[in-house]
């Protein structure tokens, strides 16, 4: 699509400044076009200009065998707002332009959560947690760059209601206090919240259901004008930019990750992939699912408390490296104890 639609901005009448500190910005009086694959938004100064731009783009697309989808194409005022790629952009009465998750995106994730919980009726709590955590983390990671705190809290309340109904359905004859003690507690040791759904595993580690609001809001950093990921001269720029993007982990694990420079102390490789970050909630969900299988654990991170030979400290290691270390320790023969000295009895 990027190749086929190259020249679309010029056809829309977009003109950029070519020099000075404002190089790469659109000139005043010209529209601004934002495109992602075959979805696009054109910001204009007036409704009349918007219709003119649409006509110019329609004439430009015609020879290429492309037309607008009229059911999805509309001209709206910024005070009314519009949806784009799962986000809602709207200028509010106070003059602020806010970007939030769209209503359709929130409706879809609520339905997804309800369907998943309904499908897990009768399943153990660990299976429910394993099914829901990637969905929660993936959706929150995708929308953490916009104004999402209020919606995160609303989804947390809705998810608690779903899990409470799930627990009541598993034990219809038990009182509410018994269900609360059985399934809810302070399973997250860094949060003073006794209404976290979880369970203690056989190894003593707590497995619990994460919350949307536990994902910190991190504002998106604008890309330099004209910077393309396909430009070989900008490889270092994009690599440095990706390294600066914080993974959607809590502050405790982020601090440990920073201290280790993002590397596993046992193999020296990166704990997390430095590839292009996911571009949709589903991609983020798959990223979390692959992370739980191949990367790091104990709430998906393994804590190696043995530390280096010169000290003891908590470290993050690959799950596979941790298992290999344990296997080597089991195969290592124990050092025989020194024989007891004979007693010097006369």
């Amino acid at each position: 699509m990027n190749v086929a639609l190259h020249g679309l901005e010029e056809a829309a009448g977009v003109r950029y400044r070519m020099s000075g500190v404002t190089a790469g910005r659109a000139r005043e009086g010209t529209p601004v076009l934002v495109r992602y694959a075959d979805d696009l938004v054109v910001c204009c100064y007036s409704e009349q200009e918007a219709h003119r731009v649409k006509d110019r783009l329609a004439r430009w697309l015609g020879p290429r065998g492309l037309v607008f989808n009229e059911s999805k194409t509309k001209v709206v005022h910024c005070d009314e707002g519009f949806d784009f790629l799962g986000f809602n952009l709207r200028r509010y009465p106070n003059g602020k332009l806010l970007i939030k998750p769209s209503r359709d995106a929130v409706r879809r994730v609520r339905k997804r959560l309800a369907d998943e919980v309904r499908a897990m009726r009768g399943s153990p709590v660990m299976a429910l947690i394993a099914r829901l955590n990637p969905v929660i983390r993936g959706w929150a990671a995708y929308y953490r760059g916009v104004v999402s705190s209020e919606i995160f809290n609303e989804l947390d309340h809705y998810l608690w209601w779903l899990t409470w109904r799930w627990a009541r359905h598993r034990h219809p004859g038990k009182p509410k206090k018994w269900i609360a003690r059985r399934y809810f507690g302070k399973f997250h040791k860094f949060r003073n919240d006794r209404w976290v759904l979880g369970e203690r595993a056989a190894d003593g580690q707590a497995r619990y259901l994460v919350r949307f609001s536990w994902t910190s809001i991190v504002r998106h950093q604008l890309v330099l004008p004209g910077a393309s990921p396909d430009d070989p001269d900008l490889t270092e720029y994009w690599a440095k930019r990706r390294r600066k993007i914080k993974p959607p982990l809590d502050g405790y694990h982020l601090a440990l990750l920073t201290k280790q420079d993002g590397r596993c102390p046992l193999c020296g490789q990166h704990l997390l992939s430095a590839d292009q970050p996911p571009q949709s909630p589903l991609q983020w969900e798959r990223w979390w699912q692959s992370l739980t299988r191949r990367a790091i654990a104990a709430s998906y991170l393994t804590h190696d408390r043995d530390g280096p030979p010169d000290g003891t400290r908590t470290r993050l290691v690959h799950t596979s490296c941790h298992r290999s270390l344990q296997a080597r320790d089991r195969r290592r023969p124990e050092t025989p104890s020194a024989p007891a000295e004979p007693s010097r009895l006369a």
Side-chain angles (χ1 to χ4, degrees), residues 55-115:
D55 292 339
R56 288 201 298 266
L57 292 179
R59 291 195 299 270
W60 187 86
L61 292 171
R64 292 163 176 80
L66 301 173
V67 295
F68 282 117
N69 186 339
E70 294 297 339
S71 62
K72 297 182 179 180
T73 305
K74 59 177 92 172
V75 177
V76 298
H77 197 278
C78 59
D79 291 347
E80 180 183 348
F82 60 90
D83 293 343
F84 184 60
L85 301 178
F87 298 93
N88 177 263
L89 295 85
R90 179 186 172 191
R91 187 173 64 189
Y92 288 81
N94 59 5
K96 286 188 177 181
L97 177 69
L98 299 182
I99 305 176
K100 300 180 180 181
S102 67
R103 291 183 179 180
D104 289 341
V106 176
R107 191 180 300 114
R108 286 194 298 268
V109 73
R110 287 169 68 98
K111 184 179 184 304
R112 172 79 185 280
L113 293 172
D115 292 344

Side-chain angles (χ1 to χ4, degrees), residues 25-26 48 52 67 73 82 113 165 167 169 189 202 204 218 225 232 242 257 263 267 269 295 319 328-329:
R25 295 185 182 180
Q48 293 75 17
R52 289 196 300 269
V67 295
T73 305
F82 60 90
L113 293 172
R165 288 185 59 190
H169 184 271
K189 59 182 179 180
V218 180
R242 285 192 287 268
L257 205 62
R263 295 181 180 274
C267 69
Q269 300 297 321
T319 302
R328 289 196 300 270
D329 290 342

Side-chain angles (χ1 to χ4, degrees), residues 102-323:
S102 67
R103 291 183 179 180
D104 289 341
V106 176
R107 191 180 300 114
R108 286 194 298 268
V109 73
R110 287 169 68 98
K111 184 179 184 304
R112 172 79 185 280
L113 293 172
D115 292 344
E116 294 287 1
V117 173
R118 189 179 300 111
M120 297 300 290
R121 283 183 174 180
S123 302
V125 64
M126 298 290 280
L128 177 67
I129 293 173
R131 178 73 69 89
L132 291 180
N133 273 350
V135 179
I136 299 170
R137 291 183 183 274
W139 201 88
Y142 181 70
Y143 288 101
R144 64 175 178 157
V146 297
V147 183
S148 305
S149 297
E150 183 177 347
I151 293 177
F152 282 177
N153 289 326
E154 292 176 359
L155 289 175
D156 284 338
H157 179 75
Y158 177 70
L159 185 60
W160 180 90
W161 178 75
L162 288 176
T163 54
W164 176 256
R165 288 185 59 190
W166 172 86
R168 293 287 304 275
H169 184 271
R170 277 180 60 87
H171 306 282
K174 293 293 185 180
K176 294 181 180 179
K177 289 186 178 180
W178 185 92
I179 294 176
R181 290 194 300 267
R182 170 67 178 80
Y183 291 105
F184 297 90
K186 293 183 181 180
F187 293 104
H188 195 306
K189 59 182 179 180
F190 298 107
R191 295 184 180 274
N192 188 24
D193 187 349
R194 68 184 185 89
W195 286 105
V196 177
L197 178 73
E199 188 176 61
R200 297 284 177 184
D203 57 1
Q205 294 283 349
R207 305 291 189 268
Y208 51 83
L209 189 68
V210 299
R211 296 191 175 181
F212 291 91
S213 57
W214 292 353
T215 300
S216 302
I217 301 298
V218 180
R219 294 290 178 243
H220 172 72
Q221 297 296 321
L222 294 178
V223 178
L224 290 177
S228 171
D230 300 323
D231 189 344
D233 295 332
L234 297 177
T235 302
E236 181 58 30
Y237 164 76
W238 286 103
K240 184 178 180 181
R241 179 182 172 84
R242 285 192 287 268
R243 286 195 296 267
K244 288 184 177 180
I245 297 178
K246 295 182 179 179
L249 303 173
D250 56 73
Y252 171 69
H253 293 119
L254 277 177
L256 292 176
L257 205 62
T258 303
K259 289 180 180 178
Q260 301 174 201
D261 193 26
R263 295 181 180 274
C264 173
L266 299 181
C267 69
Q269 300 297 321
H270 285 283
L271 285 165
L272 302 179
S273 173
D275 296 336
Q276 181 72 15
Q279 301 296 315
S280 69
L282 183 59
Q283 290 182 15
W284 272 111
E285 180 182 336
R286 291 171 178 169
W287 184 83
W288 275 109
Q289 289 172 340
S290 64
L291 183 69
T292 60
R293 289 195 299 267
R294 64 175 171 76
I296 40 186
S299 187
Y300 307 123
L301 293 165
T302 297
H303 292 186
D304 176 16
R305 297 188 178 276
D306 296 334
D310 57 346
T312 58
R313 58 188 175 92
T314 300
R315 301 180 300 171
L316 305 181
V317 300
H318 286 112
T319 302
S320 57
C321 296
H322 186 64
R323 287 197 296 264

